Amino acid sequence: MLNKDVIVACDFPSAEETFKFLDCFKDVNRKPFVKIGMELYYAEGAAMVREIRRRGHSIFLDLKLHDIPNTVKRAMSVLSSLDVDMCNVHAAGGSEMMKAALEGLRSNAAEGRQPKLIAVTQLTSTSEEMLHNELLIAPSMPETIISYAKNAAGSGLDGVVCSPLEAGIVHDACGQGFLTVTPGVRFADGEVGDQKRVMTPTQARLGGSDYIVVGRPITKAESPLAAYERCIGEFLNEELR
Ligand code: C5P
């Protein structure tokens, strides 16, 4: 796992579609860091995680656990045997839950292979208006993100999921080594869809994101490989081939 990377969100309904997509990258000398979310995990389960791992990809298992501490601890203990690189919870579950998640994750992981644990602050599909009027959270979005990030850091977590707009303030509040994993990334000439707090890969790099999570701009592109190369170029300033 690199310190900075583009994570490709494999939001597909089946193993077949996922492998068809991953085959687009078979001729490049870099295995994309892959995110497995709820759709794929609920459809194909742990076998899918093991197979993607066997193929040599780094994996972010994005299941966003959010329940009472004991339940999250036990679920994390099960997930810890899957040998993924990163997994997550919702910071809204509170500090006790995040500490329990970390304990569960540590209980079963192989020596030296403990996944990074990060917490979702606010979904990138949540707007400031929704935060106040629907979720009834009075402080501003940046204040809310900083407070949730501090709770995550205080609970011993490795970082947070936030929008690339917030990566800088999270680093200022929690340190440069505290990871910012940022979805809500769109090309300057691309569609935004349901995401509200977005930036381009270049802006995300300049803003200090450690990892960008990119789904539809790559998975729905006419050429997923070209879109991935564009992300790598903009975010990492690297040529793929
Ligand atoms: O297709 P798109 O690039 O919008 O995909 C973003 C991915 O990141 C999705 O898989 C979504 O579940 C995930 N995500 C997000 N916002 C968060 C946490 C995760 O969009 N705060």
Side-chain angles (χ1 to χ4, degrees):
M1 177 175 150
L2 302 166
N3 289 338
K4 266 187 186 267
D5 210 348
V6 174
I7 302 179
V8 182
C10 286
D11 294 325
F12 295 108
S14 68
E16 196 189 347
E17 281 186 57
T18 307
F19 292 129
K20 193 171 152 220
F21 170 74
L22 290 177
D23 281 347
C24 301
F25 303 92
K26 63 180 186 308
D27 294 328
V28 286
N29 55 3
R30 176 190 194 110
K31 300 249 179 212
F33 194 144
V34 160
K35 181 173 88 71
I36 300 175
M38 294 180 204
E39 183 183 11
L40 186 55
Y41 190 79
Y42 291 156
E44 301 286 353
M48 188 68 200
V49 179
R50 291 197 186 96
E51 176 56 21
I52 292 182
R53 182 91 203 118
R54 195 191 62 75
R55 291 177 180 223
H57 296 269
S58 293
I59 299 176
F60 170 20
L61 186 58
D62 178 25
L63 298 180
K64 301 188 182 71
L65 275 63
H66 186 178
D67 208 316
I68 59 172
N70 183 57
T71 301
V72 169
K73 178 178 168 182
R74 296 172 71 98
M76 274 298 174
S77 166
V78 175
L79 295 181
S80 72
S81 65
L82 288 178
D83 193 26
V84 298
D85 297 272
M86 197 182 274
C87 53
N88 64 355
V89 294
H90 267 288
S95 296
E96 201 191 322
M97 186 206 78
M98 289 191 271
K99 286 179 192 160
L102 199 56
E103 243 181 82
L105 199 59
R106 282 188 178 149
S107 63
N108 240 339
E111 188 71 23
R113 285 287 309 164
Q114 196 194 305
K116 302 279 185 211
L117 182 62
I118 60 177
V120 177
T121 50
Q122 284 295 326
L123 295 171
T124 40
S125 54
T126 301
S127 64
E128 184 98 33
E129 192 263 330
M130 191 179 154
L131 185 77
H132 303 315
N133 300 335
E134 198 177 328
L135 305 183
L136 303 185
I137 295 175
S140 70
M141 183 66 81
E143 281 176 277
T144 307
I145 303 284
I146 289 174
S147 168
Y148 283 29
K150 283 183 172 169
N151 289 345
S155 306
L157 271 62
D158 300 289
V160 287
V161 184
C162 59
S163 135
L165 293 158
E166 294 129 16
I169 56 170
V170 167
H171 280 140
D172 289 346
C174 302
Q176 295 305 314
F178 191 67
L179 301 178
T180 52
V181 179
T182 66
V185 173
R186 292 294 180 262
F187 292 123
D189 51 3
E191 281 172 28
V192 171
D194 56 351
Q195 296 285 16
K196 301 279 171 15
R197 306 187 337 266
V198 298
M199 269 186 165
T200 67
T202 305
Q203 290 169 330
R205 167 168 53 81
L206 297 173
S209 293
D210 296 297
Y211 298 89
I212 53 171
V213 177
V214 189
R216 288 161 291 182
I218 294 177
T219 57
K220 303 265 187 251
E222 209 171 295
S223 165
L225 177 57
Y228 177 67
E229 282 184 300
R230 185 174 171 190
C231 277
I232 294 281
E234 284 193 28
F235 185 62
L236 297 177
N237 255 334
E238 279 176 26
E239 299 268 333
L240 205 55
R241 290 182 281 196

